[in-house]
Structure formats: structure tokens, C-alpha cells
Amino acid sequence: MGKRAGAKTTAVPAAAGVRLEWWAVPLAVRSEVEAALGSPVESAVTQTGGFSPGVAARVRLADGRRVFIKAVGPEPNPEAPGIHRAEARITAALPGAAPVPSLLTALDLDGWVVLVLEDVDGKMPAQPWQPDELRRVLAAAADLSVLLDPSPVEAPPVADRLGASFQGWRRLAAASAAGTDDLAWLGPWARRNLGRLADREAGWTAAAAGSALVHGDLRADNILLTEDRVVVVDWPWAAVGAAWFDVVAMGPSVVMQGTPDAVRLLDRHLHAQGAAPEDVTTVLIAAAGFFLHQSVQPPPPGLPTVRSFQRAQGEAALPWIRARTGWH
């Protein structure tokens, strides 16, 4: 499952964390994985896309087979093994027609969780997004929303999955009122409309309700383009909600990259999908609040680059929100 980097021609933050090399995994764990695969690992090439602090490597086995291995231990981020377990459960349950790498095996070994997946010979979308690749991904998102509605997998409602996180504007407003953050880092339009943003954010759970299985973390680094497929990887945050949710949540990262005509392409897609404009705006406001509030929190263990990426996404969403609301 190759996450080979797309062309990067901008200085915006990259979706890239600090990866662990396969050879840094404890020998006993590596030996168990090789025994399960029936062949030793001959080479392992680390892939940089994404924020997990664990292993993400394209692997060639001594018998010539190729697989993709993800592995994480209890350190430095104790939440990471549970995330990998969730990904294994969701991936194994997805229908065979879904454009998702097959899960070949999953192992729990001495606190380590290892996923062995089909290796997809693809590349990430170019950054900034190219309009033709964005159109291709949006078309694939539309097809996927049909395939996964109603959800074929047991997963929590998106309101439960993200409810504790999508309160960013309300938390920023509370910090401002308490005098613990003067929000000087926030742009004047957002500060001026802080109360309206917080009020609108509160309605996002109703706006995002639906019956489709959504990925929950769709971005360029979770997409692989092959010659004839758009493959969506990394499903631990899957939830049940509005079929268009993923495109709205992905939108700020697309706009952030300076993608030509991004907002028009995103809005046109959402309109074609029948998404209610007011619901889209409400969810977009909640997503922007999440990104901006998270950006001023300490970085999670093992994920030193994620906060700047979140800040850039939140700031990119604000002009889009302003255009949709008409607020001055």
C-alpha cells in the first residue's frame, strides 16, 4: 500500500509525522510477524504520509511477495495501539467492492499491534491538488457514499465519534471570556464573529446525521491514485453520518494547499450530492473550530507536526465559511 509522496510545490505544512523504521521494532515482534507471513522481510521502505508515530512501510518478503505493514507499540503514544485495532476491525468488515486495501492479517504482540495489508502501487494526489485529480477523488467519494449507505459496518454515529472534539469555537469563546486566551492569534473576522460561530457550531450533530459509513479522516495522505482506481486507506475513525461529511471535512486541507478553483469544485460536488447548504456550512464551521482549537493545544506524544497542519486547515476554512455565511 504505497504512500509515495505527490509533488510538493508549496510551503504549507505537510501531512507527515515522525515514522518508526521497521527495523526498530523489537526483534521478537518482527520474528512473529515473519512467522505469520511465512517468509522473512527482505526490505522495508518507510512511507512518510500521515501522522501515526508507528511503522508504515512497503515491504518485500524473501519469497518475492509485497505487503504493506503498519505497526505501533505502547510508546510514545499510548492511544495508537487502540487506533490500529479499530482500523483492523473496520477494514476487515468493509465490503469487497470497496476501494480499500485488503487486510491480510492483524496481530497483537506484547503491546504491539501489527496490520499487514495489501500493497497498493499508487501515489498520493499531488500537492497542491491538481483539478483533474481532485475531480477524480470527488467522483470516487460520490461512488463510495452510495456503496456505504446504509453502513455495512457497525460503527458509532459521527456525533459520538467527534462530539467531544467538535466544540472548538465554544471552547475558544470560553477561554476568551475567562481571560486565559486573548485569541490575538486568531484573525479579526473570526474574533468578531466568535459568538455566532460558537452558536452555529452547536448544531453540527444534527446537520451531520445520516446513515452512511464515512471515513472520518479523508485527506490526500489517506488516498492513493492508481492507473484505474482511487483507493482510500486508514479507516480507524470511521463513523455513521451524512454521506457528504468526508468531503466537507477534507475541504479545508484542499483549500489550504492553494488548489486552483478548490472552493467552486467542492461546492459544486456537495450541491450535486444533494447536501443541504445550511447543513454543509454548519459542519464546516464545526470542523474549522476543531482544527483551530486543537492547533493551540500541546502536541500529542509522538506527533510533533500535527498542530501546524491543523492550524493551516482551520485558517484555510475561514474564507470559505465567510463566503457561505455572508457574515462581515
Side-chain angles (χ1 to χ4, degrees), residues 5-16:
K8 292 181 180 177
T9 57
T10 66
V12 298

Side-chain angles (χ1 to χ4, degrees), residues 216-315:
D217 195 27
L218 194 63
R219 293 188 311 264
D221 57 294
N222 286 330
I223 295 168
L224 291 171
L225 303 178
T226 73
E227 289 187 3
D228 59 354
R229 291 198 301 164
V230 174
V231 180
V232 181
V233 305
D234 294 355
W235 286 79
W237 305 111
V240 177
W244 44 263
F245 178 88
D246 280 333
V247 171
V248 175
M250 179 181 76
S253 68
V254 176
V255 176
M256 174 189 74
Q257 295 289 349
T259 306
D261 217 15
V263 169
R264 187 182 69 83
L265 290 172
L266 292 164
D267 282 342
R268 187 170 67 184
H269 168 87
L270 292 163
H271 176 75
Q273 293 304 107
E278 292 299 300
D279 288 344
V280 168
T281 303
T282 299
V283 172
L284 180 60
I285 286 171
F290 164 74
F291 291 134
L292 290 168
H293 177 263
Q294 290 299 106
S295 77
V296 293
Q297 308 309 307
L303 302 175
T305 64
V306 69
R307 297 309 188 204
S308 61
F309 192 81
Q310 290 171 328
R311 173 73 67 87
Q313 288 180 94
E315 291 177 347

Side-chain angles (χ1 to χ4, degrees), residues 3 38-39 106 125 136 140 157-158 218 252 298 304:
K3 281 195 174 184
S39 180
R136 187 179 170 193
V158 70
L218 194 63

Side-chain angles (χ1 to χ4, degrees), residues 181-203:
D181 189 340
D182 63 7
L183 305 185
W185 56 270
L186 196 59
W189 180 86
R191 292 200 304 272
R192 190 162 61 246
N193 288 283
L194 184 59
R196 298 167 93 174
L197 291 163
D199 289 345
R200 185 70 173 268
E201 172 189 70

Side-chain angles (χ1 to χ4, degrees), residues 119-140:
D119 182 46
V120 176
D121 189 12
K123 65 180 181 67
M124 287 167 48
Q127 301 292 281
W129 283 77
Q130 301 304 299
D132 60 331
E133 291 187 347
L134 180 56
R135 292 188 191 96
R136 187 179 170 193
V137 169
L138 291 175

